[in-house]
Amino acid sequence: MSDQKYGADIVADSLTNHGIDLVFGIPGAKIDRLFTTLEHPAPGQKVPKLIVTRHEQNAVFMAQAFARITGKPGVTIVTSGPGVGNLVSGLMTASAESDPVVAIGGQVPRKDLYRLTHQSTNSVALFAPITNYSSEIQDPNNISEIIANAFAAANGAKKGAAFVSLPQDVDDAPVSVEALPPMPYAKQGAAALADLDWLAEQIKQAKLPVLLVGARGSDDDTVAALHKLLKQTTLPVVETFQGSGVISRELEPETFFGRIGFFRNQTGDKLLKQSDLVITVGYDAIEYEPRNWNKENDLNIVALDTTPVQIDNNFVPKRQLVGDLGQSLDLLTERVAGYELPVDSRAVLKTLKADLRASDEPTYTPAQGHLNHPLNIIKAIQAHVTDDMTVATDIGSHYIWMARHFKSYVARHFLISNGMQTLGVGLPWAMTAAMLRPNAKAVSVSGDGGFFFSSMELETAVRLKLNTVHIVWNDNAHYDMVKFQEEMKYDGRSAGVDFGNIDLVKYAESFGAKGLRVNTPDELNAVLDEAFTSEGPVVVDIPVDYSHNFELGSQMIDAQG
């Protein structure tokens, strides 16, 4: 057998040298040598494991989940033309939600780049506005360096997507160079010491300082440093939806005051409104716009982050402390030792804690006897989920209920799309979690609308024998998150929100998965018992009562509230 290496070998070796052991994608003629290399490597050649999906969009969703769960860049590989086109929603979501993803897309041979030939498209231009990096390889000797720069950009201070276009003749080209060796990523130090000294004094002088922790504050090192700080100095914490799980069970009673995102009427909103010092930790405005939580524009804000924030009329921090969050929090911990919340502030927090607990209790009877109240569904899911399990929620009315009320005590074990609110992420994210955390069940939750954006991946889940439970909140064929908001705005009228019913149990069974249905509310726990003890993919159909969704958007906090 020839020892000749080709462009595809350098791509595969580069991925291996960047620590990538799992890639997701769909092949095609313009990139088939790379897929052949991944599936049939040369003797002794180490390559990532290839997961073949049923749609390119789901492949990039899975790569995004890989990144969010592991902290390493996820990788997706697809073919040219419509293959790369189907990556757009996923890469846009990854960039918006600070998840490092590297996408490699096939391209026509270099001689055809500017011809109207089959599947020719300017993919670099397509992805430039929605990624941290978008480049095309023009010389086979430059393959490894362009891939290295894509990884560096994806894994930068503000993580996101990167795209590399691989022309077919570069993929096929004989090469004599080797892939670049493994190299460490550039690292930050802590924020400026003078600024940390200043922030410590601000905390000591404050009556009610609050930490608002976002997506970039949820990595392992930052969470460990945050826990160290809170064990020494009790401070109230509000999570964004994507910061879910940064507060542990141990710290929850004294420090957790809910999550914020989507409608300004949550306990966390009420706490921020009363705070005299809001410290954002890894918060990105796209998670929950400042015009919502700082509507009156009167909060005293300090930003602690890995990257400068985007300034807007409702988010003008007094100072920005930019640097490694874990190191910055460790140094801050030393400087605030001895601080205690005043007695009056503790009384405020006690009232808000009671408010938070009360919000978890259903106060209305379902409109029809066979339907389930959202909070009862959440309680049932909560009773079946352990801390080592991953729960991924899709987008829809269920997502607002889950994000507000589902409890998670381990960072990056409750996965939410709140930057782009992208339909279809739930099932692919849970499937990746099942691959990466095989000793624990992976759970996804969707509506009956969002489920069918990615439900074809049930075949992938069955093929890979993944232990997933997908729970569908079935409101009888509506895009309800749009429906109820339209009804709130247009005197009870909605438009463009109805579709046809599909039997979810039969649909699941047609893929070889188990399908279960909750026929009456008193069956809910027993059906979930069966789902969580079954091997392989399970789909559970739960009829839901969404008549209470108006309450989600009612009772807004206003300037006088």
Side-chain angles (χ1 to χ4, degrees), residues 20-349:
I20 302 304
D21 50 15
L22 203 60
V23 299
F24 308 87
I26 298 177
K30 303 300 189 297
I31 200 168
D32 54 8
R33 185 181 289 273
L34 178 53
F35 276 82
T36 300
T37 301
L38 293 173
E39 192 126 308
H40 306 289
Q45 183 180 20
K46 184 178 179 182
V47 297
K49 180 180 179 181
L50 172 64
I51 303 297
V52 177
T53 65
R54 298 305 296 258
H55 195 287
E56 291 92 351
Q57 179 169 289
N58 297 323
V60 72
F61 287 157
M62 292 181 194
Q64 183 189 7
F66 178 95
R68 191 172 295 189
I69 290 169
T70 67
K72 300 190 301 183
V75 174
T76 185
I77 305 174
V78 301
T79 195
S80 54
V84 296
N86 284 338
L87 295 177
V88 170
S89 290
L91 294 185
M92 182 169 60
T93 304
S95 288
E97 299 176 2
S98 297
D99 294 314
V101 172
V102 174
I104 299 173
Q107 179 59 288
V108 298
R110 286 169 290 177
K111 65 183 176 62
D112 288 337
L113 282 173
Y114 302 104
R115 291 175 172 167
L116 292 177
T117 189
H118 179 69
Q119 292 192 342
S120 177
T121 186
N122 190 345
S123 53
V124 171
L126 178 67
F127 291 108
I130 59 171
T131 61
N132 292 355
Y133 180 91
S134 185
S135 184
E136 191 161 71
I137 302 169
Q138 292 295 324
D139 187 325
N141 291 325
N142 296 344
I143 291 173
S144 195
E145 68 181 42
I146 288 178
I147 290 175
N149 283 303
F151 273 91
N155 208 47
K158 187 170 183 177
K159 301 180 191 302
F163 175 76
V164 174
S165 175
L166 179 65
Q168 182 179 14
D169 57 327
V170 175
D171 187 34
D172 287 338
V175 294
S176 56
V177 299
E178 296 293 328
L180 293 174
M183 63 196 80
Y185 292 115
K187 293 184 179 180
Q188 289 183 321
L193 296 181
D195 286 341
L196 289 166
D197 290 338
W198 172 85
L199 178 55
E201 286 305 311
Q202 299 302 300
I203 293 173
K204 291 176 181 178
Q205 294 169 21
K207 294 181 180 178
L208 187 53
V210 177
L211 301 179
L212 172 57
V213 184
R216 284 191 294 276
S218 66
D219 64 277
D220 290 345
D221 290 343
T222 302
V223 170
L226 177 66
H227 289 182
K228 182 179 175 183
L229 168 64
L230 296 176
K231 287 174 183 177
Q232 172 197 273
T233 305
T234 302
L235 297 171
V237 175
V238 176
E239 299 172 345
T240 66
F241 288 178
Q242 282 183 224
S244 297
V246 300
I247 297 302
S248 65
R249 284 184 183 273
E250 175 190 4
L251 293 168
E252 189 271 343
E254 298 295 325
T255 65
F256 179 70
F257 287 85
R259 303 189 189 113
I260 56 171
F262 219 88
F263 298 136
R264 185 178 181 249
N265 57 6
Q266 297 146 93
T267 302
D269 289 303
K270 297 172 186 176
L271 173 55
L272 292 176
K273 185 174 172 59
Q274 298 183 59
S275 173
D276 59 343
L277 176 62
V278 177
I279 304 166
T280 64
V281 181
Y283 156 82
D284 198 300
I286 200 170
E287 298 181 72
Y288 185 44
E289 292 89 342
R291 64 174 176 259
N292 292 320
W293 57 271
N294 189 25
K295 180 180 178 182
E296 293 78 35
N297 207 16
D298 57 359
L299 294 180
N300 177 29
I301 301 170
V302 176
L304 197 62
D305 212 333
T306 62
T307 183
V309 305
Q310 183 184 70
I311 302 298
D312 74 20
N313 291 332
N314 297 88
F315 191 46
V316 185
K318 293 294 190 299
R319 290 197 192 185
Q320 297 186 52
L321 282 66
V322 176
D324 180 86
L325 290 174
Q327 294 181 54
S328 296
L329 287 172
D330 280 340
L331 291 171
L332 184 63
T333 299
E334 300 170 4
R335 288 161 168 74
V336 297
Y339 171 81
E340 292 184 3
L341 289 166
V343 173
D344 290 350
S345 297
R346 280 178 262 171
V348 169
L349 294 178

